[in-house]
Amino acid sequence: MLSNGGCPKTMLSIQDALEAVEGRWKLLILFSLSEKPKRFKEISREVRGITDKTLSKELKSLEANKLLRREVFSTFPPRVEYSITEHGLSLGKVLDELHFWGLLHRSIVLNDN
Amino acid sequence: MLSNGGCPKTMLSIQDALEAVEGRWKLLILFSLSEKPKRFKEISREVRGITDKTLSKELKSLEANKLLRREVFSTFPPRVEYSITEHGLSLGKVLDELHFWGLLHRSIVLNDN
């Protein structure tokens, strides 16, 4: 694909994608939810290094982008669960490629330092 | 791949990748350079919305991660060019998938609003 390097239309769609999954947390949160629906505290434990404030902000942004769903169950006390949507699952291949590339990057750059 | 959802080792490599290409600009800069080596001003024109200060910072970070190379040619005035490295080119599949997903995301979410 790098054959169409610099093409403005391709750049626009990459930009759209990057705006939706911007930062170092959103994809990790979705990856965690791809296993099963989870509660706030479970996500917070799995996505290492994220603060509660940031997690709360990221969950809202992901919900606005239809990448996850927030559900409140009328138990006592009420239980809140987050689950990945169909649209969120469509990021699977992006996550795949980031995973493979992350392994390569660690072997090339991170182990060098 | 979402079959191994939540796997801590996979999460770690995704995290490595996200740290190297974090933010909304780095991948766009690399995509622009995948066409051919470019000068600062050319990149700044193609990656719409980026400020010179941010571009300068991002170029340094990409160089530190061996994703691009900065070359100074001893012309008068000296010419500085940035080119993508082999390691930078290895992000091709990530960019591919982001491009495809960006198109999908636009059709599903952005056109809805």
Side-chain angles (χ1 to χ4, degrees):
Chain A
M1 95 102 204
L2 288 178
S3 53
N4 66 352
C7 160
K9 247 182 109 174
T10 306
M11 185 153 333
L12 194 66
S13 63
I14 296 176
Q15 200 154 18
D16 283 344
L18 290 175
E19 279 177 23
V21 298
E22 193 193 9
R24 62 174 68 185
W25 303 115
K26 292 192 184 70
L27 287 171
L28 295 177
I29 294 168
L30 291 176
F31 179 65
S32 161
L33 291 180
S34 70
E35 187 192 5
K36 59 175 187 170
K38 286 175 189 170
R39 300 166 72 160
F40 189 95
K41 274 292 160 203
E42 284 176 272
I43 308 170
S44 148
R45 227 183 356 250
E46 286 187 10
V47 179
R48 285 185 213 163
I50 197 166
T51 62
D52 282 1
K53 193 178 157 193
T54 303
L55 177 54
S56 169
K57 194 175 59 104
E58 298 290 43
L59 288 171
K60 282 198 186 97
S61 158
L62 289 167
E63 198 185 355
N65 273 307
K66 300 182 187 172
L67 295 167
L68 63 76
R69 192 181 302 114
R70 179 179 186 274
E71 276 179 292
V72 184
F73 295 91
S74 50
T75 52
F76 185 80
R79 187 161 54 92
V80 180
E81 258 186 22
Y82 298 88
S83 53
I84 194 165
T85 59
E86 272 304 304
H87 188 42
L89 284 172
S90 72
L91 276 161
K93 282 186 188 166
V94 171
L95 285 169
D96 260 346
E97 294 303 337
L98 278 170
H99 163 54
F100 298 139
W101 190 82
L103 290 173
L104 181 74
H105 183 61
R106 175 162 289 266
S107 73
I108 290 186
V109 175
L110 301 180
N111 288 342
D112 251 30
N113 297 333
Chain B
M1 92 99 208
L2 289 177
S3 53
N4 66 352
C7 158
K9 246 182 110 173
T10 307
M11 184 151 335
L12 194 67
S13 64
I14 297 176
Q15 199 155 18
D16 283 345
L18 290 175
E19 279 177 24
V21 299
E22 191 194 10
R24 62 174 67 185
W25 302 116
K26 292 191 185 71
L27 287 171
L28 295 176
I29 294 168
L30 292 175
F31 178 65
S32 161
L33 291 179
S34 69
E35 187 191 4
K36 58 174 187 175
K38 286 175 189 169
R39 299 166 72 161
F40 189 95
K41 274 292 161 205
E42 286 175 270
I43 308 170
S44 148
R45 229 183 354 252
E46 287 187 10
V47 179
R48 284 185 214 164
I50 197 166
T51 62
D52 281 2
K53 193 178 156 194
T54 303
L55 178 53
S56 170
K57 194 177 59 112
E58 296 291 43
L59 288 170
K60 281 196 187 101
S61 158
L62 288 167
E63 198 187 354
N65 273 307
K66 299 183 187 170
L67 296 166
L68 63 76
R69 190 179 303 113
R70 179 180 187 272
E71 275 180 292
V72 184
F73 296 91
S74 51
T75 51
F76 184 79
R79 188 162 54 90
V80 180
E81 257 185 21
Y82 298 88
S83 54
I84 193 164
T85 58
E86 273 303 304
H87 187 42
L89 284 172
S90 72
L91 276 162
K93 283 187 188 165
V94 171
L95 285 168
D96 260 349
E97 294 302 337
L98 278 170
H99 163 53
F100 298 139
W101 190 81
L103 290 173
L104 181 75
H105 183 61
R106 175 161 290 266
S107 73
I108 290 186
V109 175
L110 301 179
N111 288 343
D112 250 31
N113 299 332

